[in-house]
């Protein structure tokens, strides 16, 4: 038992003595708050480029989607208008045009709604 007691005395000597009238130390609250704020500011600066890029790309994809929908609706109406004009033009033609060998200008044998029978302008 003497070895156990002597070991206890050695361990006890290594610990600093406690003062019975001193209150336990508390960490300053302001220091903890300052560290938390600095960490938050650091994370904000580190993540800002990625977050800003994501928001920009999201907004751009919405703009592209809206323009695509609008242009598809406009294009469909325009296609129908052009097709109706082409059908009207084709219905007014009475005969086809002939292109002679070695010639650049087609000559027609009929009339269109305009009245000229040849493709040439005199």
């Amino acid at each position: 038992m003497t070895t156990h007691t002597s070991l206890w005395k050695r361990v006890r000597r290594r610990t600093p003595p406690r003062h019975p009238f001193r209150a336990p130390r508390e960490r300053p609250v302001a220091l903890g708050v300052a560290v938390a704020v600095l960490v938050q500011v650091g994370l904000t600066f580190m993540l800002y480029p990625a977050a800003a890029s994501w928001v920009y790309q999201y907004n751009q994809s919405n703009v592209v989607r809206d323009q695509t929908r609008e242009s598809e609706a406009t294009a469909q109406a325009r296609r129908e208008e052009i097709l109706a004009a082409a059908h009207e033009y084709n219905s007014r033609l009475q005969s086809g045009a002939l292109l002679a060998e070695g010639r650049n200008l087609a000559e027609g044998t009929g009339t269109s709604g305009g009245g000229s029978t040849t493709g040439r302008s005199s």
Side-chain angles (χ1 to χ4, degrees), residues 82-104:
I82 290 172
L83 190 58
H87 284 300
E88 180 186 344
Y89 174 79
N90 288 340
S91 68
R92 290 189 310 167
L93 289 177
Q94 294 177 358
S95 64
L98 299 176
L99 185 61
E101 186 176 339
R103 307 284 305 259
N104 292 334

Side-chain angles (χ1 to χ4, degrees), residues 4-60:
H4 178 66
T5 310
S6 64
L7 181 62
W8 176 250
K9 286 181 181 178
R10 277 191 235 151
V11 169
R12 211 166 159 193
R13 283 184 205 147
R14 290 183 186 158
T15 59
R18 293 185 179 178
H19 298 284
F21 300 111
R22 184 182 292 176
R25 284 188 148 179
E26 294 181 12
R27 292 184 181 167
V29 175
L31 180 63
V33 170
V35 169
V37 167
L38 287 176
V39 167
Q40 184 67 33
V41 168
L43 285 174
T44 302
F45 279 124
M46 284 178 19
L47 295 177
Y48 176 77
S53 176
W54 180 82
V55 169
Y56 179 76
Q57 287 177 355
Y58 178 77
N59 289 335
Q60 283 300 105

